[in-house]
Amino acid sequence: MRKDKFQNSMWAYLMIAPLVIGIGIFYIFPFFQNLYFSLTNLGAFGQFKYIGFKNYEKLMYDPKMYQALKNTFVYVLFSVPLGITCSTLVATMLNSKIKGLTIYRVLYFLPAVTMPTAIAMVWRWMYNKEFGLLNQFLNNFGFESRAWLSDPQTALYAVIVVAIWSNIGYNMVILLAGLQGIPKMYYEAAKIDGAGPVTCFFKITLPLLSPSLFFVTVMSFINSFQIFDLVFMMVNRTNPAFESSMTIVYFFYTNAFQMSERGYAAAIAVVLFIIIMAFTWIQLKLQKKLVNY
């Protein structure tokens, strides 16, 4: 009996060993390595010296760090609520019986399976001041053409619009699965009691969809804090709006791979990790009050 139990345990450990080893090599070890490098002056050629918390002290007085933090928080505060609201409305619409439902679902999901680079290139063309579709459309109503991605006042918001549009498909699939898991009998009982579509949405749909909304919210916060690819492709270093669009991950990239200050960049990564963990912890605390299971 004991021999069989031991063999079963051994098989279980062997089955999960590849996953555990992979997480250890590609996630846990790099995390602690980065934590150590943040306390060194690691440069381009791999040589480093322990310098304590000097990188963190430098971060505290670096105005570019505060600008990157401000840009990142603006990006998160606009892209997450607006993105989830749009995704919920689209998922609700596609959960109803309308003609061409499958086509609409495919069209909305296409951006989720498209490379961010391709999305950024298309939107750069659409935002172009001379021949972009957006300015051509606005010119018809008497508005002047504008360099959306070169203007420090609009560049970051132009990227936020693209991020919201490209994330709707992924969030929609998760929310649609949540909507289809809500029993129809609740809506039938509400209709018998005289409840309209709006009342049903706020009294039945939203509360029962809250677990899916919570998951989408947590993932959206984490992904938004790590935004890099769209900003990198749409606003390069020579762009006049670079400073007003640089996110914290872009700031990390600049220091790590362009200025070769990898110890300093490691400290930036640690600060970003702490911010994401703090927001995730707050959301997990709010989960007990706002999510209905």
Side-chain angles (χ1 to χ4, degrees), residues 230-288:
L230 283 179
V231 183
F232 180 77
M233 289 300 301
M234 298 179 75
V235 186
N236 55 42
R237 282 184 64 82
T238 59
N239 192 315
F242 175 73
E243 292 278 337
S244 60
S245 309
M246 182 177 60
T247 61
I248 191 166
V249 177
Y250 205 152
F251 186 50
F252 161 82
Y253 170 81
T254 303
N255 281 278
F257 300 105
Q258 293 181 341
M259 301 174 69
S260 299
E261 295 184 1
R262 296 181 180 174
Y264 188 56
I268 297 170
V270 172
V271 171
L272 177 61
F273 170 77
I274 293 170
I275 292 172
I276 291 175
M277 288 300 292
F279 269 84
T280 305
W281 179 80
I282 292 170
Q283 290 173 80
L284 290 174
K285 287 294 179 184
L286 291 175
Q287 174 194 12
K288 297 176 182 176

Side-chain angles (χ1 to χ4, degrees), residues 183-197:
K184 302 293 183 187
M185 61 180 180
Y186 293 130
Y187 294 104
E188 293 169 358
K191 284 181 181 176
I192 293 173
D193 291 338

Side-chain angles (χ1 to χ4, degrees), residues 107-108 111 119 123 160-169:
L107 288 176
Y108 276 108
I119 291 174
W123 277 90
I160 289 171
V161 170
V162 180
I164 292 172
W165 174 82
S166 60
N167 289 327
I168 283 178

